[in-house]
Amino acid sequence: MMTIRPLLLALSAAFAALPLAHAATVTPIDVKIVGFNDYHGNLESPGTFGANTSVPAAQRPAVGGAEYLAAYIAQMRAANRNTVVVGGGDFIGATPLISSLFFDEPAVETLNKIGVDFSAVGNHEFDKGKDELRRLQMGGCKMVNGIADPNSCKGFGSSAPGTFDGARFKWLSANVVETATGRTLLPAYGIKSFGGVKVAFIGMTLKGTPGIVTPTGVAGLEFKDEADTVNALVPRLRAQGIESIVVLLHQGGFQNPASPGAFNNQDINGCLNDLRSTSGTPSDLANVVARLDNAVDLVISGHTHAAYNCSKNTLDNGSNARASGLPNKAGRLVPVTSSSAFGRVLTEVDLKIDPATRDVIEVSPMNRLVDRGNAAINNAIAANPEVKNLVAAYKAAVSPLANQVVGGITADLTNGANSAGEMQAGDLIADAQLQATQPAGLGGAVMAFMNAGGVRNPGFVKPAAASYPYALTYGDAFTVQPFGNSLVTMTLTAQQIKDVLEQQFSGCKGQTAQRIMQVSNGLQYAWRPSAPACSKIIDVAFTPTDVTAYPPQVSGPTDMLVINGVVQNPAKTYRVTVNNFMATGGDGFTTLIGGTSQLGGAQDIDALIAYLAGYKAPALAYDPTQAALKKPRITTLP
């Protein structure tokens, strides 16, 4: 017979072994993360999109639309009650008229109905400044001189007419600090608990935001290094018992193969060349991930409007699985995703978390098209009726303005650049801004520059069912010029013009990327890609042109500003028009800050509408091949 002491010892040993046995048989917690980025207030479908670049354009399905985003996310949520919906930034800003006219309250209301939990701030969240971002977060009407703007607080998706509830989700701004207080503008992270295990979501935008946003939009704010910010938060999260960490980062890359071949079939679930450039250098996103603490389990990115899935489920050419991901500080491959833009794609991520260690033990991302009509893909998912009605209400409210015919075109003018960097849509916008400021009393401009990033997708194009000449609407025009920037005319010397043209290229005067400006009628220049930074502009010719005439008329002899890289008359001055974003050094064009005798002008959209009026029936439609437009304006030299 066993004595009491040995019995107690035996029982003690048995109980001590229980946690180990339990740990060996514990069931992981399944969590689903649904992510998307760069929504940009696209309440309606942005058009068609293919799962990869091999899908012919005619076979690409119609995608997106808030009512289908809501339906797809509801289906994903139904598959797992442990679901969280997150964003990679730019949910607002640079939005279509249906959202922008109402101060992006429609974008926020649709995101509320969709069920977003957290989103990183993107650069466009700061287009109208920190106070307006806070209003969209907290709610309340847009006030102008103490009075609510009539286009605010429609309340179609809020608690009552005449109200705006604000975002029910939390915008996260871990690396955005108010200089006056030293505190983050909005929360640095959000936490969700699943089965007693907490998952943290750190949200932030790219540290370069001040260089791509109008200075007034980021006044009083400091944008800190992305990786340093995350790494500093890791100990704080771990002190709360959190081991599962997701980063929502508004920074991105492109699937850009080093050379044609095995991996050149870009797919929304591909990760061609691990997002490296054709020269083999890592993307800005890859550089951030390379410095992240090993505690980070997943990065959901954005900003570049590209789709990619850098994970162990990645397909190299649409058929073969290969280990993938972007290496972190410890050399471990971290899954990194992006879901294109405008609600065309959703990223569905299945996580498995060990409830004992609270660690993520498996990450399985998949990008999925938000197909509006293909039953083989969406099992005939029906649009969410509540969100559909919300979108219809705003569409009805905006239609009287959106449907106004403002001009005509004889061919599509896209924002796709040719090899020299010239865009058909950019040429038109630069001419519109020159026309608006050419009269002596309005600035006396002789040339205009337009930043390429401000020429929004798709450009001036007709719907597939329409014919040429196509009658452009106000809504069409606003889609291309949605920022509400104002025009600024300034005096620049020939040397400054050469300098700002050189500043289009990375490595010159602080420029960090290649940003080819669009130039107005009468200005033509040639650049050499192989030349070193600050020496790429070879020839610049200026022919005074009256763009207020139809067609434009030459009004003076050609003036050679630069010949073989040499400025001919450095001190000679010219009146030049840009938008206020560029005038204050936006996109790295700091040379423009030195412009003198500055004079403010009309809003960019008003200048555009006035220019297009010259091509409105019964007048002839705008023909981009017209000789008087003097194209090409930008050329390259070997």
Side-chain angles (χ1 to χ4, degrees), residues 286-555:
N287 283 328
V288 173
V289 176
R291 296 171 46 231
L292 288 180
D293 191 286
N294 201 33
V296 174
D297 299 296
L298 168 68
V299 175
I300 292 177
S301 68
H303 188 51
T304 57
H305 295 192
Y308 44 81
N309 177 4
C310 298
S311 73
K312 291 184 179 179
N313 289 336
T314 295
L315 304 180
D316 57 9
N317 61 0
S319 60
N320 300 314
R322 68 185 181 100
S324 183
L326 301 183
N328 69 3
K329 187 176 181 180
R332 179 173 64 88
L333 296 179
V334 177
V336 178
T337 68
S338 176
S339 62
S340 182
F342 313 139
R344 296 182 290 207
V345 176
L346 286 169
T347 302
E348 185 176 17
V349 186
D350 290 318
L351 298 183
K352 289 187 182 296
I353 302 175
D354 186 321
T357 65
R358 303 181 301 280
D359 286 318
V360 172
I361 56 176
E362 186 176 320
V363 185
S364 300
M366 186 64 69
N367 279 335
R368 304 188 186 280
L369 285 181
V370 182
D371 189 318
R372 294 172 62 89
N374 189 339
I377 294 176
N378 64 17
N379 297 319
I381 288 178
N384 180 293
E386 183 180 9
V387 178
K388 184 177 181 180
N389 290 337
L390 169 58
V391 173
Y394 278 110
K395 187 174 179 64
V398 79
S399 288
L401 175 60
N403 293 333
Q404 288 180 14
V405 173
V406 296
I409 54 175
T410 64
D412 285 353
L413 287 78
T414 75
N415 74 336
N418 63 19
S419 59
E422 186 171 354
M423 304 172 176
Q424 293 281 13
D427 288 341
L428 186 153
I429 290 171
D431 289 350
Q433 296 185 357
L434 176 58
Q435 183 201 61
T437 55
Q438 197 163 52
L442 298 177
V446 297
M447 64 183 74
F449 298 145
M450 175 63 194
N451 60 307
V455 185
R456 304 303 284 187
N457 189 62
F460 306 97
V461 300
K462 72 172 182 64
S467 58
Y468 292 116
Y470 171 63
L472 282 170
T473 66
Y474 188 96
D476 292 330
F478 192 92
T479 298
V480 188
Q481 284 277 269
F483 294 106
N485 287 328
S486 58
L487 303 184
V488 179
T489 303
M490 62 181 65
T491 297
L492 296 178
T493 65
Q495 184 63 57
Q496 287 174 312
I497 290 173
K498 166 73 156 53
D499 290 346
V500 78
L501 290 174
E502 293 285 8
Q503 211 167 18
Q504 297 176 114
F505 307 103
S506 181
C508 184
K509 300 181 183 296
Q511 182 58 271
T512 59
Q514 180 168 296
R515 296 185 168 107
I516 306 295
M517 294 184 294
Q518 306 303 292
V519 300
S520 58
N521 196 345
L523 187 65
Q524 294 175 303
Y525 71 90
W527 63 280
R528 179 169 288 129
S530 61
C534 291
S535 300
K536 292 183 182 292
I537 301 300
I538 309 303
D539 297 302
V540 180
F542 167 61
T543 305
T545 302
D546 180 7
V547 296
T548 64
Y550 300 100
Q553 302 291 322
V554 172
S555 57

